[in-house]
Amino acid sequence: MRFKNALFHALSLSLLCGTITLGLPNEDLEKIKSEHPFVFHLVQKSLWEDAVENNVTYFPPTYHQDGFTHATANPIYLTTIGNHFYQDVEGDWLCLKMSLASLSRTGVDTIFEGTAPVGDKEANFEGSDSELFPHILGGIHPSSVLEALAVNRDHDGRFLSIEGFTEEAE
């Protein structure tokens, strides 16, 4: 609770001063960036390919309801998040790898906050209360993506691994 109050205070102060920061004191943000220098977003492959083909900013299906694009900085949560929120969504998926700087270059700010629902699905997965997650305050333009990694799923839609990045879940 103390951490969330400090986060709220830092974000409120930045808004009152007329600037948008990343929502954390600089030393906390630097610690997160040094431990986890990238931001990851799971995306349906067909939606991402459409955005790339048309060179337009991608917004996830729940963007208007949620008010931001969900992401994680800690890659250990990628398959957990996929299985919690998206296991019932059919089709191929990708994991977009970005940095705060690459997102910023496209005019998008990112803040780190506690978990939030994705659409109507609550964020009550294992570990959801132990991390701050990057919330991208806008969509993802193809020019901000450093790499698009294939996601491996089983026939039931279970997220198993991210190719070349996470180990396959048992």
Side-chain angles (χ1 to χ4, degrees):
M1 186 65 148
R2 182 174 58 100
F3 190 74
K4 285 186 179 182
N5 287 339
L7 175 63
F8 175 77
H9 176 72
L11 183 58
S12 298
L13 181 61
S14 68
L15 291 172
L16 286 173
C17 294
T19 62
I20 295 179
T21 68
L22 297 174
L24 291 173
N26 283 342
E27 61 272 7
D28 292 338
L29 179 60
E30 290 306 316
K31 181 179 179 195
I32 290 172
K33 284 172 38 178
S34 68
E35 290 177 7
H36 307 293
F38 299 105
V39 174
F40 303 95
H41 175 76
L42 293 170
V43 61
Q44 292 168 270
K45 185 176 180 180
S46 61
L47 297 178
W48 182 246
E49 287 176 342
D50 287 345
V52 171
E53 182 179 319
N54 295 300
N55 195 34
V56 297
T57 299
Y58 157 82
F59 290 90
T62 61
Y63 181 82
H64 291 292
Q65 184 175 357
D66 300 343
F68 58 87
T69 301
H70 292 266
T72 184
N74 188 343
I76 196 169
Y77 290 106
L78 286 169
T79 55
T80 300
I81 289 167
N83 287 321
H84 180 77
F85 290 110
Y86 309 116
Q87 186 170 343
D88 61 340
V89 179
E90 294 182 9
D92 293 330
W93 284 70
L94 297 171
C95 177
L96 305 180
K97 179 180 175 182
M98 300 154 287
S99 69
L100 294 175
S102 71
L103 287 163
S104 181
R105 282 192 296 272
T106 63
V108 175
D109 290 311
T110 303
I111 59 173
F112 285 78
E113 300 177 303
T115 56
V118 174
D120 294 326
K121 182 116 181 169
E122 287 299 319
N124 55 357
F125 56 89
E126 186 176 336
S128 64
D129 59 351
S130 64
E131 292 275 329
L132 291 178
F133 290 85
H135 293 159
I136 301 167
L137 304 179
I140 300 171
H141 191 272
S143 64
S144 69
V145 175
L146 306 173
E147 193 173 3
L149 305 160
V151 174
N152 296 313
R153 298 174 74 190
D154 67 14
H155 64 279
D156 293 324
R158 187 168 162 250
F159 287 69
L160 302 174
S161 64
I162 311 299
E163 287 216 359
F165 193 63
T166 61
E167 293 182 22
E168 192 159 315
E170 296 187 27

